[in-house]
Amino acid sequence: MLGWLVRYSVAGRHTRKFFSDLAHGGSSKKAKAAAEAFALEHLPDHQEIRSLRTRLLPRRNTPHGIPGVARYVRPGGTSAFWTAYWTQDGVRRQKKYSVTQLGEHEARELAFATREEMTAGNQERLAELLDIYLNDHKAKRQRRRAEPAAAAPREAPKRRPRPAVDAAGQERRSRA
């Protein structure tokens, strides 16, 4: 059992495929090339899904759970502000809202609203990719189930009758 194993997980869906050397003409190089081709087939979509999920999904490592929104206090405690961060055309952007000018609640709400507004396109793209990816997996699974079995169903193995045993555990032989 020599070969190459490809495993990856995207959006909670796990994919695993084994490329044996024997199935590829006994060549480890051919099996490796097939495994790499399989892994790289959807890599750009997987990278985009991972990147979008990292930037958009709620987290546990922030007090409010929303990535890209933070509260800062200037050194010396002179002023505080809420900041919304996002990436636009590959450039990181930010918008600050002063707590002293707007008040704590208003600055916080504006930062969250700005972040949501500026990442709305990313949310749509993530939903689109997940829909394509998850539906593709469902369709493949349904096709596999619908395909007729390649081999005819096997009959159950026939059982040989057990030899008759007497009370002492000795096999009794019958005359035939």
Side-chain angles (χ1 to χ4, degrees):
M1 192 104 163
L2 297 174
W4 297 88
L5 178 67
V6 176
R7 292 186 311 183
Y8 59 87
S9 177
V10 176
R13 297 284 185 196
H14 306 289
T15 302
R16 176 185 169 130
K17 190 166 182 179
F18 183 74
F19 295 85
S20 72
D21 292 351
L22 187 60
H24 292 86
S27 169
S28 180
K29 288 181 182 179
K30 289 180 183 177
K32 181 181 180 185
E36 287 175 342
F38 176 78
L40 294 174
E41 184 177 352
H42 297 290
L43 184 63
D45 288 343
H46 296 171
Q47 287 175 333
E48 187 176 4
I49 289 171
R50 183 176 179 184
S51 174
L52 288 171
R53 286 173 60 94
T54 301
R55 286 186 274 159
L56 299 174
L57 292 183
R59 300 182 187 166
R60 291 186 215 155
N61 65 347
T62 63
H64 44 74
I66 306 298
V69 177
R71 183 180 189 276
Y72 295 100
V73 179
R74 289 213 160 99
T78 56
S79 65
F81 55 93
W82 280 87
T83 304
Y85 294 98
W86 67 94
T87 303
Q88 188 174 18
D89 300 326
V91 178
R92 185 173 177 180
R93 308 275 185 197
Q94 70 178 2
K95 177 80 174 158
K96 296 179 183 179
Y97 297 97
S98 172
V99 171
T100 55
Q101 291 176 355
L102 301 168
E104 186 72 36
H105 181 73
E106 185 67 22
R108 181 179 193 267
E109 292 305 313
L110 283 171
F112 282 113
T114 301
R115 168 72 180 175
E116 187 175 332
E117 178 185 337
M118 301 312 280
T119 60
N122 291 339
Q123 292 280 6
E124 292 170 5
R125 177 64 179 155
L126 177 60
E128 176 186 319
L129 285 171
L130 290 176
D131 188 45
I132 291 168
Y133 181 74
L134 297 179
N135 285 337
D136 185 39
H137 270 285
K138 287 178 187 176
K140 284 181 184 177
R141 208 172 324 132
Q142 288 172 352
R143 277 193 303 257
R144 269 189 257 140
R145 288 180 188 156
E147 290 176 359
R154 296 187 308 174
E155 292 181 20
K158 295 183 180 179
R159 294 184 179 196
R160 291 186 296 168
R162 287 187 176 178
V165 179
D166 64 10
Q170 296 292 326
E171 183 179 329
R172 291 184 293 177
R173 296 180 188 218
S174 62
R175 293 182 191 172

